[in-house]
Amino acid sequence: MSTMTLHRPIPQTRQASTLRLTRRGRLVVLLLALGVVLGVGFALASGSVATQEAGTPEPTRVVMVGAGDTLWDIAADVDPEGDTRSTMEEITRLNALDSSMVTVGQQLIVPDE
Protein backbone atom coordinates (compact mmCIF):
# COMPACT_ATOMS: atom_id res chain seq x y z
CA MET A 1 0.00 0.00 0.00
CA SER A 2 1.29 3.33 -0.82
CA THR A 3 0.70 6.63 0.88
CA MET A 4 -0.05 9.78 -0.90
CA THR A 5 1.13 13.09 0.39
CA LEU A 6 -0.22 16.34 -0.78
CA HIS A 7 2.02 19.33 -0.71
CA ARG A 8 0.43 22.68 -0.33
CA PRO A 9 2.30 25.59 -1.70
CA ILE A 10 3.72 27.71 1.12
CA PRO A 11 2.64 31.33 0.76
CA GLN A 12 5.57 33.61 0.04
CA THR A 13 6.18 36.11 2.83
CA ARG A 14 7.80 39.34 2.10
CA GLN A 15 11.18 39.78 3.73
CA ALA A 16 11.76 42.99 5.59
CA SER A 17 14.07 45.18 3.61
CA THR A 18 17.24 46.22 5.33
CA LEU A 19 18.45 49.76 5.13
CA ARG A 20 21.97 50.12 3.87
CA LEU A 21 23.86 53.37 4.19
CA THR A 22 26.58 54.32 1.84
CA ARG A 23 29.72 56.04 3.05
CA ARG A 24 28.17 59.39 2.18
CA GLY A 25 24.98 58.46 4.06
CA ARG A 26 26.92 57.51 7.18
CA LEU A 27 28.80 60.81 6.99
CA VAL A 28 25.52 62.73 6.73
CA VAL A 29 24.07 60.89 9.75
CA LEU A 30 27.26 61.55 11.75
CA LEU A 31 27.23 65.26 10.89
CA LEU A 32 23.55 65.57 11.77
CA ALA A 33 24.12 63.88 15.15
CA LEU A 34 27.11 66.13 15.82
CA GLY A 35 25.01 69.18 14.92
CA VAL A 36 22.28 68.13 17.36
CA VAL A 37 24.80 67.60 20.17
CA LEU A 38 26.44 70.97 19.52
CA GLY A 39 23.07 72.68 19.33
CA VAL A 40 22.02 71.25 22.69
CA GLY A 41 25.38 72.22 24.18
CA PHE A 42 25.10 75.81 22.98
CA ALA A 43 21.51 76.03 24.20
CA LEU A 44 22.52 74.88 27.67
CA ALA A 45 25.58 77.13 27.76
CA SER A 46 23.57 80.21 26.80
CA GLY A 47 22.23 80.34 30.36
CA SER A 48 25.70 81.19 31.70
CA VAL A 49 25.84 84.27 33.89
CA ALA A 50 29.52 85.05 33.41
CA THR A 51 30.42 88.67 32.71
CA GLN A 52 33.53 90.58 31.74
CA GLU A 53 33.60 92.40 35.06
CA ALA A 54 35.08 90.84 38.18
CA GLY A 55 32.72 90.18 41.06
CA THR A 56 33.34 91.05 44.66
CA PRO A 57 35.59 88.48 46.31
CA GLU A 58 34.52 86.66 49.43
CA PRO A 59 36.10 88.15 52.53
CA THR A 60 38.54 85.53 53.80
CA ARG A 61 41.60 85.23 56.00
CA VAL A 62 44.29 82.61 56.53
CA VAL A 63 44.46 80.50 59.70
CA MET A 64 47.31 78.16 60.60
CA VAL A 65 46.38 74.80 62.11
CA GLY A 66 47.87 74.31 65.56
CA ALA A 67 48.62 71.18 67.56
CA GLY A 68 45.41 69.39 68.52
CA ASP A 69 43.22 71.53 66.24
CA THR A 70 40.45 69.90 64.26
CA LEU A 71 38.41 71.34 61.44
CA TRP A 72 35.45 71.47 63.83
CA ASP A 73 37.46 73.58 66.34
CA ILE A 74 38.62 75.96 63.62
CA ALA A 75 35.07 76.34 62.25
CA ALA A 76 33.72 76.99 65.74
CA ASP A 77 36.42 79.65 66.35
CA VAL A 78 35.79 81.35 63.00
CA ASP A 79 32.02 81.72 63.51
CA PRO A 80 31.11 81.10 67.16
CA GLU A 81 27.51 82.31 66.68
CA GLY A 82 26.81 80.43 63.43
CA ASP A 83 26.28 76.85 62.36
CA THR A 84 29.59 75.00 62.79
CA ARG A 85 28.75 72.36 60.16
CA SER A 86 28.03 74.91 57.43
CA THR A 87 31.23 76.77 58.35
CA MET A 88 33.15 73.47 58.06
CA GLU A 89 31.63 72.90 54.62
CA GLU A 90 32.62 76.42 53.59
CA ILE A 91 36.21 75.89 54.76
CA THR A 92 36.32 72.56 52.94
CA ARG A 93 35.07 74.24 49.74
CA LEU A 94 37.45 77.20 49.99
CA ASN A 95 40.47 74.92 50.45
CA ALA A 96 39.34 72.10 48.13
CA LEU A 97 39.79 69.57 50.94
CA ASP A 98 38.99 65.90 50.30
CA SER A 99 38.31 65.20 53.97
CA SER A 100 38.14 66.95 57.31
CA MET A 101 41.70 65.87 58.18
CA VAL A 102 44.05 68.78 58.85
CA THR A 103 47.73 68.74 59.80
CA VAL A 104 49.74 70.91 62.14
CA GLY A 105 51.15 73.91 60.30
CA GLN A 106 48.64 73.69 57.44
CA GLN A 107 47.34 77.07 56.33
CA LEU A 108 43.60 77.21 55.74
CA ILE A 109 41.55 79.92 54.07
CA VAL A 110 38.53 80.61 56.25
CA PRO A 111 35.56 82.98 55.81
CA ASP A 112 36.06 86.32 57.54
CA GLU A 113 32.65 87.21 58.93
Side-chain angles (χ1 to χ4, degrees):
M1 190 151 153
S2 68
T3 50
M4 257 175 89
T5 58
L6 296 173
H7 292 284
R8 266 199 238 162
I10 299 173
Q12 295 287 330
T13 58
R14 212 171 200 193
Q15 290 183 349
S17 64
T18 59
L19 177 66
R20 291 183 156 208
L21 288 178
T22 62
R23 177 179 276 176
R24 186 184 311 168
R26 287 190 299 265
L27 180 64
V28 168
V29 169
L30 175 70
L31 290 177
L32 284 174
L34 183 62
V36 167
V37 169
L38 285 174
V40 169
F42 283 129
L44 292 176
S46 67
S48 176
V49 293
T51 63
Q52 294 291 332
E53 299 152 8
T56 56
E58 261 183 79
T60 58
R61 60 187 169 100
V62 177
V63 172
M64 186 171 294
V65 178
D69 282 347
T70 63
L71 193 58
W72 182 273
D73 297 333
I74 294 169
D77 289 342
V78 167
D79 190 10
E81 304 294 320
D83 182 26
T84 305
R85 286 188 183 160
S86 65
T87 306
M88 279 181 62
E89 290 173 4
E90 182 70 13
I91 293 170
T92 302
R93 184 188 65 79
L94 286 171
N95 294 282
L97 299 175
D98 293 333
S99 69
S100 61
M101 297 287 295
V102 290
T103 58
V104 176
Q106 183 178 3
Q107 293 183 346
L108 297 174
I109 299 171
V110 297
D112 191 22
E113 298 175 313

PDB file of all heavy atoms in Angstrom, residues 4 12 14 17 19 28-29 44-45 48-49 51-52 54-55 61 65 69 75 86 97 108-109 112:
ATOM      1  N   MET A   4      -0.107   8.580  -0.070  1.00  0.00           N
ATOM      2  CA  MET A   4      -0.046   9.779  -0.896  1.00  0.00           C
ATOM      3  C   MET A   4       0.093  11.002  -0.005  1.00  0.00           C
ATOM      4  O   MET A   4      -0.600  11.132   0.993  1.00  0.00           O
ATOM      5  CB  MET A   4      -1.346   9.924  -1.683  1.00  0.00           C
ATOM      6  CG  MET A   4      -1.231   9.532  -3.099  1.00  0.00           C
ATOM      7  SD  MET A   4      -2.820   9.597  -3.863  1.00  0.00           S
ATOM      8  CE  MET A   4      -2.885  11.219  -4.415  1.00  0.00           C
ATOM      9  N   GLN A  12       4.327  32.832  -0.011  1.00  0.00           N
ATOM     10  CA  GLN A  12       5.565  33.606   0.045  1.00  0.00           C
ATOM     11  C   GLN A  12       5.362  34.809   0.963  1.00  0.00           C
ATOM     12  O   GLN A  12       4.432  35.574   0.774  1.00  0.00           O
ATOM     13  CB  GLN A  12       5.959  34.093  -1.364  1.00  0.00           C
ATOM     14  CG  GLN A  12       6.304  32.984  -2.313  1.00  0.00           C
ATOM     15  CD  GLN A  12       7.655  32.379  -1.963  1.00  0.00           C
ATOM     16  OE1 GLN A  12       8.516  33.063  -1.451  1.00  0.00           O
ATOM     17  NE2 GLN A  12       7.807  31.100  -2.240  1.00  0.00           N
ATOM     18  N   ARG A  14       6.882  38.298   2.536  1.00  0.00           N
ATOM     19  CA  ARG A  14       7.803  39.344   2.103  1.00  0.00           C
ATOM     20  C   ARG A  14       8.870  39.554   3.165  1.00  0.00           C
ATOM     21  O   ARG A  14       8.559  39.716   4.341  1.00  0.00           O
ATOM     22  CB  ARG A  14       7.021  40.620   1.908  1.00  0.00           C
ATOM     23  CG  ARG A  14       7.546  41.471   0.865  1.00  0.00           C
ATOM     24  CD  ARG A  14       6.589  42.582   0.608  1.00  0.00           C
ATOM     25  NE  ARG A  14       6.897  43.085  -0.694  1.00  0.00           N
ATOM     26  CZ  ARG A  14       6.452  44.180  -1.174  1.00  0.00           C
ATOM     27  NH1 ARG A  14       5.620  44.894  -0.475  1.00  0.00           N
ATOM     28  NH2 ARG A  14       6.805  44.582  -2.359  1.00  0.00           N
ATOM     29  N   SER A  17      12.896  44.637   4.289  1.00  0.00           N
ATOM     30  CA  SER A  17      14.074  45.179   3.613  1.00  0.00           C
ATOM     31  C   SER A  17      15.002  45.802   4.649  1.00  0.00           C
ATOM     32  O   SER A  17      14.571  46.392   5.621  1.00  0.00           O
ATOM     33  CB  SER A  17      13.647  46.223   2.578  1.00  0.00           C
ATOM     34  OG  SER A  17      13.043  47.306   3.227  1.00  0.00           O
ATOM     35  N   LEU A  19      17.969  48.462   5.575  1.00  0.00           N
ATOM     36  CA  LEU A  19      18.450  49.761   5.128  1.00  0.00           C
ATOM     37  C   LEU A  19      19.965  49.732   5.094  1.00  0.00           C
ATOM     38  O   LEU A  19      20.605  49.371   6.076  1.00  0.00           O
ATOM     39  CB  LEU A  19      17.963  50.853   6.089  1.00  0.00           C
ATOM     40  CG  LEU A  19      18.432  52.264   5.794  1.00  0.00           C
ATOM     41  CD1 LEU A  19      17.819  52.738   4.481  1.00  0.00           C
ATOM     42  CD2 LEU A  19      18.026  53.180   6.918  1.00  0.00           C
ATOM     43  N   VAL A  28      26.632  61.812   6.515  1.00  0.00           N
ATOM     44  CA  VAL A  28      25.520  62.734   6.730  1.00  0.00           C
ATOM     45  C   VAL A  28      24.884  62.478   8.098  1.00  0.00           C
ATOM     46  O   VAL A  28      24.595  63.412   8.853  1.00  0.00           O
ATOM     47  CB  VAL A  28      24.471  62.613   5.600  1.00  0.00           C
ATOM     48  CG1 VAL A  28      23.189  63.330   5.960  1.00  0.00           C
ATOM     49  CG2 VAL A  28      25.045  63.158   4.296  1.00  0.00           C
ATOM     50  N   VAL A  29      24.658  61.225   8.449  1.00  0.00           N
ATOM     51  CA  VAL A  29      24.071  60.894   9.752  1.00  0.00           C
ATOM     52  C   VAL A  29      24.995  61.346  10.873  1.00  0.00           C
ATOM     53  O   VAL A  29      24.543  61.909  11.880  1.00  0.00           O
ATOM     54  CB  VAL A  29      23.775  59.376   9.839  1.00  0.00           C
ATOM     55  CG1 VAL A  29      23.413  58.967  11.257  1.00  0.00           C
ATOM     56  CG2 VAL A  29      22.669  58.999   8.872  1.00  0.00           C
ATOM     57  N   LEU A  44      22.311  74.968  26.230  1.00  0.00           N
ATOM     58  CA  LEU A  44      22.521  74.882  27.670  1.00  0.00           C
ATOM     59  C   LEU A  44      23.532  75.912  28.162  1.00  0.00           C
ATOM     60  O   LEU A  44      23.403  76.451  29.254  1.00  0.00           O
ATOM     61  CB  LEU A  44      22.972  73.474  28.061  1.00  0.00           C
ATOM     62  CG  LEU A  44      21.930  72.370  27.884  1.00  0.00           C
ATOM     63  CD1 LEU A  44      22.540  71.014  28.205  1.00  0.00           C
ATOM     64  CD2 LEU A  44      20.722  72.625  28.750  1.00  0.00           C
ATOM     65  N   ALA A  45      24.541  76.188  27.352  1.00  0.00           N
ATOM     66  CA  ALA A  45      25.579  77.129  27.757  1.00  0.00           C
ATOM     67  C   ALA A  45      25.096  78.577  27.671  1.00  0.00           C
ATOM     68  O   ALA A  45      25.706  79.464  28.274  1.00  0.00           O
ATOM     69  CB  ALA A  45      26.820  76.945  26.893  1.00  0.00           C
ATOM     70  N   SER A  48      24.571  80.813  30.844  1.00  0.00           N
ATOM     71  CA  SER A  48      25.696  81.194  31.697  1.00  0.00           C
ATOM     72  C   SER A  48      25.558  82.639  32.139  1.00  0.00           C
ATOM     73  O   SER A  48      25.094  83.500  31.395  1.00  0.00           O
ATOM     74  CB  SER A  48      27.012  81.017  30.935  1.00  0.00           C
ATOM     75  OG  SER A  48      28.083  81.467  31.700  1.00  0.00           O
ATOM     76  N   VAL A  49      25.963  82.919  33.358  1.00  0.00           N
ATOM     77  CA  VAL A  49      25.841  84.269  33.888  1.00  0.00           C
ATOM     78  C   VAL A  49      27.194  84.953  34.022  1.00  0.00           C
ATOM     79  O   VAL A  49      27.337  85.915  34.757  1.00  0.00           O
ATOM     80  CB  VAL A  49      25.118  84.262  35.257  1.00  0.00           C
ATOM     81  CG1 VAL A  49      23.689  83.849  35.091  1.00  0.00           C
ATOM     82  CG2 VAL A  49      25.824  83.351  36.243  1.00  0.00           C
ATOM     83  N   THR A  51      30.289  87.339  33.290  1.00  0.00           N
ATOM     84  CA  THR A  51      30.416  88.670  32.710  1.00  0.00           C
ATOM     85  C   THR A  51      31.887  89.022  32.567  1.00  0.00           C
ATOM     86  O   THR A  51      32.767  88.328  33.068  1.00  0.00           O
ATOM     87  CB  THR A  51      29.740  89.732  33.603  1.00  0.00           C
ATOM     88  OG1 THR A  51      30.420  89.767  34.861  1.00  0.00           O
ATOM     89  CG2 THR A  51      28.271  89.414  33.823  1.00  0.00           C
ATOM     90  N   GLN A  52      32.155  90.115  31.913  1.00  0.00           N
ATOM     91  CA  GLN A  52      33.528  90.577  31.739  1.00  0.00           C
ATOM     92  C   GLN A  52      34.069  91.248  32.998  1.00  0.00           C
ATOM     93  O   GLN A  52      35.264  91.375  33.174  1.00  0.00           O
ATOM     94  CB  GLN A  52      33.604  91.568  30.567  1.00  0.00           C
ATOM     95  CG  GLN A  52      33.308  90.944  29.229  1.00  0.00           C
ATOM     96  CD  GLN A  52      34.409  89.985  28.803  1.00  0.00           C
ATOM     97  OE1 GLN A  52      35.564  90.119  29.168  1.00  0.00           O
ATOM     98  NE2 GLN A  52      34.021  88.978  28.033  1.00  0.00           N
ATOM     99  N   ALA A  54      34.806  91.692  37.019  1.00  0.00           N
ATOM    100  CA  ALA A  54      35.078  90.843  38.176  1.00  0.00           C
ATOM    101  C   ALA A  54      34.034  91.100  39.258  1.00  0.00           C
ATOM    102  O   ALA A  54      33.568  92.218  39.444  1.00  0.00           O
ATOM    103  CB  ALA A  54      36.467  91.132  38.718  1.00  0.00           C
ATOM    104  N   GLY A  55      33.662  90.041  39.960  1.00  0.00           N
ATOM    105  CA  GLY A  55      32.721  90.176  41.057  1.00  0.00           C
ATOM    106  C   GLY A  55      33.453  90.573  42.332  1.00  0.00           C
ATOM    107  O   GLY A  55      34.671  90.753  42.358  1.00  0.00           O
ATOM    108  N   ARG A  61      40.298  85.047  55.353  1.00  0.00           N
ATOM    109  CA  ARG A  61      41.598  85.232  56.001  1.00  0.00           C
ATOM    110  C   ARG A  61      42.251  83.862  56.110  1.00  0.00           C
ATOM    111  O   ARG A  61      41.610  82.833  55.900  1.00  0.00           O
ATOM    112  CB  ARG A  61      41.447  85.888  57.362  1.00  0.00           C
ATOM    113  CG  ARG A  61      40.618  85.126  58.355  1.00  0.00           C
ATOM    114  CD  ARG A  61      40.390  85.941  59.636  1.00  0.00           C
ATOM    115  NE  ARG A  61      39.388  85.334  60.476  1.00  0.00           N
ATOM    116  CZ  ARG A  61      39.662  84.580  61.536  1.00  0.00           C
ATOM    117  NH1 ARG A  61      40.906  84.366  61.896  1.00  0.00           N
ATOM    118  NH2 ARG A  61      38.685  84.047  62.245  1.00  0.00           N
ATOM    119  N   VAL A  65      46.840  75.873  61.245  1.00  0.00           N
ATOM    120  CA  VAL A  65      46.381  74.802  62.115  1.00  0.00           C
ATOM    121  C   VAL A  65      47.432  74.559  63.189  1.00  0.00           C
ATOM    122  O   VAL A  65      48.612  74.381  62.897  1.00  0.00           O
ATOM    123  CB  VAL A  65      46.136  73.502  61.306  1.00  0.00           C
ATOM    124  CG1 VAL A  65      45.708  72.379  62.225  1.00  0.00           C
ATOM    125  CG2 VAL A  65      45.114  73.742  60.213  1.00  0.00           C
ATOM    126  N   ASP A  69      44.370  70.886  66.903  1.00  0.00           N
ATOM    127  CA  ASP A  69      43.224  71.530  66.242  1.00  0.00           C
ATOM    128  C   ASP A  69      42.539  70.556  65.292  1.00  0.00           C
ATOM    129  O   ASP A  69      43.186  69.758  64.625  1.00  0.00           O
ATOM    130  CB  ASP A  69      43.666  72.764  65.447  1.00  0.00           C
ATOM    131  CG  ASP A  69      43.915  73.969  66.325  1.00  0.00           C
ATOM    132  OD1 ASP A  69      43.517  73.937  67.497  1.00  0.00           O
ATOM    133  OD2 ASP A  69      44.514  74.946  65.820  1.00  0.00           O
ATOM    134  N   ALA A  75      36.362  75.801  62.697  1.00  0.00           N
ATOM    135  CA  ALA A  75      35.073  76.344  62.245  1.00  0.00           C
ATOM    136  C   ALA A  75      34.327  77.002  63.394  1.00  0.00           C
ATOM    137  O   ALA A  75      33.703  78.051  63.223  1.00  0.00           O
ATOM    138  CB  ALA A  75      34.236  75.243  61.621  1.00  0.00           C
ATOM    139  N   SER A  86      27.991  74.150  58.688  1.00  0.00           N
ATOM    140  CA  SER A  86      28.027  74.909  57.432  1.00  0.00           C
ATOM    141  C   SER A  86      29.349  75.655  57.292  1.00  0.00           C
ATOM    142  O   SER A  86      29.863  75.796  56.183  1.00  0.00           O
ATOM    143  CB  SER A  86      26.843  75.875  57.343  1.00  0.00           C
ATOM    144  OG  SER A  86      26.925  76.858  58.350  1.00  0.00           O
ATOM    145  N   LEU A  97      39.373  70.698  50.115  1.00  0.00           N
ATOM    146  CA  LEU A  97      39.791  69.571  50.937  1.00  0.00           C
ATOM    147  C   LEU A  97      38.998  68.327  50.570  1.00  0.00           C
ATOM    148  O   LEU A  97      37.798  68.397  50.309  1.00  0.00           O
ATOM    149  CB  LEU A  97      39.592  69.886  52.426  1.00  0.00           C
ATOM    150  CG  LEU A  97      40.372  71.076  52.995  1.00  0.00           C
ATOM    151  CD1 LEU A  97      39.964  71.316  54.444  1.00  0.00           C
ATOM    152  CD2 LEU A  97      41.865  70.820  52.910  1.00  0.00           C
ATOM    153  N   LEU A 108      44.949  77.334  56.267  1.00  0.00           N
ATOM    154  CA  LEU A 108      43.603  77.213  55.735  1.00  0.00           C
ATOM    155  C   LEU A 108      43.000  78.581  55.477  1.00  0.00           C
ATOM    156  O   LEU A 108      43.174  79.494  56.268  1.00  0.00           O
ATOM    157  CB  LEU A 108      42.692  76.452  56.696  1.00  0.00           C
ATOM    158  CG  LEU A 108      43.020  75.001  57.005  1.00  0.00           C
ATOM    159  CD1 LEU A 108      42.108  74.461  58.076  1.00  0.00           C
ATOM    160  CD2 LEU A 108      42.904  74.167  55.749  1.00  0.00           C
ATOM    161  N   ILE A 109      42.306  78.700  54.347  1.00  0.00           N
ATOM    162  CA  ILE A 109      41.552  79.915  54.069  1.00  0.00           C
ATOM    163  C   ILE A 109      40.191  79.734  54.714  1.00  0.00           C
ATOM    164  O   ILE A 109      39.512  78.726  54.498  1.00  0.00           O
ATOM    165  CB  ILE A 109      41.409  80.114  52.549  1.00  0.00           C
ATOM    166  CG1 ILE A 109      42.781  80.256  51.916  1.00  0.00           C
ATOM    167  CG2 ILE A 109      40.532  81.323  52.253  1.00  0.00           C
ATOM    168  CD1 ILE A 109      42.754  80.246  50.395  1.00  0.00           C
ATOM    169  N   ASP A 112      35.850  85.239  56.566  1.00  0.00           N
ATOM    170  CA  ASP A 112      36.059  86.318  57.536  1.00  0.00           C
ATOM    171  C   ASP A 112      34.724  87.021  57.701  1.00  0.00           C
ATOM    172  O   ASP A 112      34.358  87.875  56.913  1.00  0.00           O
ATOM    173  CB  ASP A 112      37.138  87.279  57.042  1.00  0.00           C
ATOM    174  CG  ASP A 112      37.563  88.249  58.121  1.00  0.00           C
ATOM    175  OD1 ASP A 112      37.370  87.943  59.306  1.00  0.00           O
ATOM    176  OD2 ASP A 112      38.113  89.314  57.752  1.00  0.00           O
TER     177      ASP A 112
END
